[in-house]
Amino acid sequence: MGKTKRGKGTKLMALADSSGLPLAVCTASASPHEVTLVGATLEASFLDERPERLIGDRAYDSDPLDEALAEEGIEMIAPHRNNRRKPKTQDGRKLRRYKRRWKIERLFAWLSNFRRLVVRYERRAENYLGLVKLGCVVILLRYL
C-alpha cells in the first residue's frame, strides 16, 4: 500500500470471490515475494472452505506454488512469464478466466477509498490489519 513512517512499506494480500468481495486479507513486509505469501493469505480466510481456483498475474507463475496448491485441490491460473525456461504448463483455455482478474483490482480500489488505509497512520502491523479488516466489513455491508 505504501511507505510507512518506519520502513519501506507493507504488502497487502487479498483474496476475493467472483463478485470482488473480500474473502481473506493478509499483511506482510514489502520485501518478500507474493508467491511466498499465498499460503498465509489462504490461512487468513474468513471462510472455512477453500477456493476452487486462484487467478494471479505473471508473478504467480511458479511450479512449486502450482504443486502446493494442487495438493490442496486448488487450481492456479496465471500467465507464464516471458523468461520461463521450463515447458509451459497451461494453455490458452484456462487463461480465459484471467480476464476476470480485474475484480480483485476493484477490491483494492474500494479499499483505497478509505484514506486511513492509503496513508497508513498506524505503526503497528496488527492495527493496520485490523483497519483493513474493518474496511472489508464495510465493503461487505455495502454489498448487502
Side-chain angles (χ1 to χ4, degrees), residues 40-96:
T41 306
L42 286 173
E43 292 298 320
S45 179
F46 303 142
L47 304 173
D48 292 334
E49 58 193 39
R50 297 280 188 179
E52 293 179 18
R53 57 188 72 86
L54 288 177
I55 299 175
D57 57 3
R58 290 184 193 272
Y60 293 89
D61 180 30
S62 168
D63 290 334
L65 177 65
D66 287 343
E67 293 170 4
L69 291 176
E71 289 175 4
E72 295 184 26
I74 301 173
E75 177 186 13
M76 184 68 200
I77 299 171
H80 293 299
R81 295 187 312 266
N82 294 335
N83 61 352
R84 183 179 174 91
R85 298 187 195 281
K86 295 182 181 179
K88 294 184 176 183
T89 58
Q90 296 184 15
D91 54 3
R93 291 177 291 180
K94 291 182 181 179
L95 290 178
R96 285 186 221 144

Side-chain angles (χ1 to χ4, degrees), residues 15-33:
L15 189 68
D17 67 352
S18 61
S19 301
L21 298 175
L23 294 178
V25 289
C26 179
T27 58
S29 173
S31 53
H33 196 270

Side-chain angles (χ1 to χ4, degrees):
M1 275 285 189
K3 291 182 77 171
T4 63
K5 295 177 184 178
R6 288 190 175 180
K8 292 291 184 185
T10 303
K11 195 170 286 190
L12 181 64
M13 300 284 291
L15 189 68
D17 67 352
S18 61
S19 301
L21 298 175
L23 294 178
V25 289
C26 179
T27 58
S29 173
S31 53
H33 196 270
E34 286 90 5
V35 173
T36 60
L37 301 174
V38 171
T41 306
L42 286 173
E43 292 298 320
S45 179
F46 303 142
L47 304 173
D48 292 334
E49 58 193 39
R50 297 280 188 179
E52 293 179 18
R53 57 188 72 86
L54 288 177
I55 299 175
D57 57 3
R58 290 184 193 272
Y60 293 89
D61 180 30
S62 168
D63 290 334
L65 177 65
D66 287 343
E67 293 170 4
L69 291 176
E71 289 175 4
E72 295 184 26
I74 301 173
E75 177 186 13
M76 184 68 200
I77 299 171
H80 293 299
R81 295 187 312 266
N82 294 335
N83 61 352
R84 183 179 174 91
R85 298 187 195 281
K86 295 182 181 179
K88 294 184 176 183
T89 58
Q90 296 184 15
D91 54 3
R93 291 177 291 180
K94 291 182 181 179
L95 290 178
R96 285 186 221 144
R97 291 192 172 113
Y98 184 73
K99 294 178 188 177
R100 299 187 193 126
R101 191 177 167 274
W102 65 273
K103 294 181 181 181
I104 189 72
E105 300 299 335
R106 180 176 63 179
L107 171 64
F108 283 113
W110 286 342
L111 286 173
S112 295
N113 287 334
F114 302 107
R115 182 172 181 234
R116 187 160 193 123
L117 297 180
V118 176
V119 176
R120 185 166 173 200
Y121 296 111
E122 291 73 30
R123 292 188 177 190
R124 295 188 157 271
E126 299 87 15
N127 295 344
Y128 179 67
L129 180 60
L131 287 173
V132 169
K133 288 183 179 182
L134 182 64
C136 291
V137 168
V138 170
I139 291 170
L140 288 170
L141 289 176
R142 285 181 186 168
Y143 184 76
L144 297 176

